[in-house]
Amino acid sequence: MRILGIETSCDETGVAIYDEEKGLIANQLHTQIALHADYGGVVPELASRDHIRKLAPLLQAALQEANLTAKDIDGVAYTCGPGLVGALLVGSTVARSLAYAWNVPAIGIHHMEGHLLAPMLEENPPHFPFVALLVSGGHTQLVRVDGVGRYELLGESIDDAAGEAFDKTAKLLGLDYPGGAALARLALNGTPNRFVFPRPMTDRPGLDFSFSGLKTFAANTLHQVMKEEGELAEQSKADIAYAFQEAVVDTLAIKCKRALKQTGLKRLVIAGGVSANKQLRQTLAELMQQLGGQVFYPQPQFCTDNGAMIAYAGFLRLKQGQQQDLAIEVRPRWAMTELTAV
């Protein structure tokens, strides 16, 4: 069984093909970073138009990479939500049209389920059950995972997601868009303990997150430094970046430890764009070593949005006979707990 996966939830156009026997056999990705850089963030209309321009060439490239034709495709999976409604409509319309033309089943995939299952593409995939930390620009969630479609939400951000807070703080520091990765690089030159940021919501029970206050704390720190020094030197920028990243990573680690204790599980999966952060990976690896457990994460190319995770999630569901009719429906807001089990 070979499944074509299409991802167009935000600012990356991904097309991939997953083969039941061979695994991932094609993976094409176009990023819109340059397109949105001048605006300091994603412009939904521009994102949708760029998906329209790039999908057909990426589809052709994926088939060529896998040395296949349309006749070799057994099903089509596409991101149905959550995401930007215009971008989702582009991918879903193309996917449904291809499925109709090729006379194969199609299924809409939850974007975050794709991220959650991305570590399954690795040579050493995690076994169910496990706790998953889904951490990206739009989501920060802790989920108990007992199987595909068997999800229990343990906690989530009540305001900014961790990745969103990274990008906003990077913008305060004058870093180019997207700022999360740039902030992490800048933090490498930071001085430990010059600034100490709070670890929000760790002094109370529960597994919810809040990161908007950290952005405000960073802004206040920045203004205080400028007031004292007259300008913001590069070293001060690095020190603020270091303190901010430490606060976010520590907060995520504290909540992960609580979730593991609450569930009694010893396996932790981290996925989503922020899961590529080296400091987060190192901290969680040390945590799991202390707890006698294991941590799993996708390789960096599968941390950000991509078609491979959608193709794989689609394969799991289509193989069990799940599919959807011809109606083109997208769900910009969609709770993962609403998914049916496989």
Side-chain angles (χ1 to χ4, degrees):
M1 192 177 197
R2 299 188 188 97
I3 304 301
L4 175 75
I6 296 176
E7 155 62 23
T8 62
S9 65
C10 190
D11 60 344
E12 275 150 336
T13 313
V15 178
I17 300 173
Y18 184 84
D19 185 291
E20 182 176 9
E21 297 181 356
K22 300 178 182 178
L24 187 66
I25 57 176
N27 184 41
Q28 297 289 324
L29 183 69
H30 167 74
T31 180
Q32 300 178 1
I33 287 176
L35 177 66
H36 301 289
D38 290 341
Y39 305 94
V42 177
V43 182
E45 179 66 19
L46 295 181
S48 301
R49 290 176 181 271
D50 203 51
H51 287 310
I52 294 172
R53 285 191 292 266
K54 299 300 182 182
L55 260 179
L58 289 175
L59 284 163
Q60 293 173 338
L63 288 170
Q64 184 175 6
E65 180 185 353
N67 195 27
L68 300 175
T69 68
K71 295 180 180 179
D72 299 311
I73 301 299
D74 301 304
V76 180
Y78 60 95
T79 303
C80 184
L84 302 176
V85 63
L88 292 169
L89 280 168
V90 173
S92 62
T93 301
V94 171
R96 291 254 38 123
S97 300
L98 289 174
Y100 179 76
W102 296 345
N103 194 29
V104 296
I107 190 165
I109 296 299
H110 193 291
H111 178 74
M112 296 311 294
E113 179 175 62
H115 276 303
L116 186 151
L117 296 174
M120 301 294 185
L121 294 168
E122 303 303 317
E123 292 184 2
N124 180 33
H127 298 291
F128 301 115
F130 55 77
V131 170
L133 172 66
L134 302 178
V135 57
S136 66
H139 298 81
T140 303
Q141 298 177 327
L142 277 166
V143 183
R144 178 185 172 119
V145 181
D146 289 300
V148 179
R150 298 171 60 194
Y151 309 130
E152 177 189 354
L153 181 64
L154 302 174
E156 62 184 340
S157 180
I158 61 174
D159 42 53
D160 289 356
E164 185 179 5
F166 261 99
D167 288 340
K168 288 180 177 179
T169 302
K171 191 172 183 179
L172 288 173
L173 294 171
L175 303 177
D176 292 335
Y177 170 86
L183 187 149
R185 289 193 296 270
L186 181 61
L188 293 173
N189 300 318
T191 305
N193 301 320
R194 179 185 173 187
F195 303 111
V196 179
F197 282 32
R199 275 56 173 165
M201 296 185 71
T202 58
D203 57 350
R204 66 188 76 174
L207 296 172
D208 286 336
F209 302 91
S210 173
F211 293 108
S212 64
L214 278 179
K215 179 202 66 177
T216 303
F217 196 94
N220 291 338
T221 302
L222 184 152
H223 293 316
Q224 184 64 32
V225 170
M226 292 184 66
K227 184 178 179 180
E228 294 173 356
E229 301 179 359
E231 61 178 1
L232 190 65
E234 284 301 312
Q235 186 58 52
S236 293
K237 286 185 181 181
D239 295 344
I240 291 172
Y242 181 94
F244 173 83
Q245 178 174 256
E246 284 288 296
V248 173
V249 169
D250 281 356
T251 300
L252 293 172
I254 290 168
K255 297 288 184 161
C256 284
K257 185 176 181 179
R258 285 186 188 175
L260 291 162
K261 183 178 180 180
Q262 178 178 310
T263 59
L265 299 176
K266 293 290 187 179
R267 286 185 289 271
L268 176 67
V269 163
I270 57 171
V274 182
S275 69
N277 183 282
K278 293 180 180 179
Q279 182 62 40
L280 178 61
R281 290 192 176 206
Q282 179 181 336
T283 299
L284 292 180
E286 292 171 356
L287 170 65
M288 296 311 294
Q289 187 174 22
Q290 294 170 7
L291 298 177
Q294 292 177 284
V295 62
F296 302 84
Y297 39 76
Q299 53 188 284
Q301 66 173 321
F302 299 136
C303 290
T304 55
D305 297 348
N306 62 87
M309 66 184 190
I310 302 303
Y312 179 71
F315 158 72
L316 294 176
R317 292 190 173 276
L318 287 168
K319 187 177 181 181
Q320 295 301 315
Q322 295 186 16
Q323 59 178 292
Q324 290 160 331
D325 58 28
L326 288 171
I328 296 173
E329 178 186 8
V330 296
R331 303 183 65 176
R333 295 184 180 275
W334 188 10
M336 201 163 61
T337 52
E338 296 176 12
L339 296 174
T340 56
V342 171

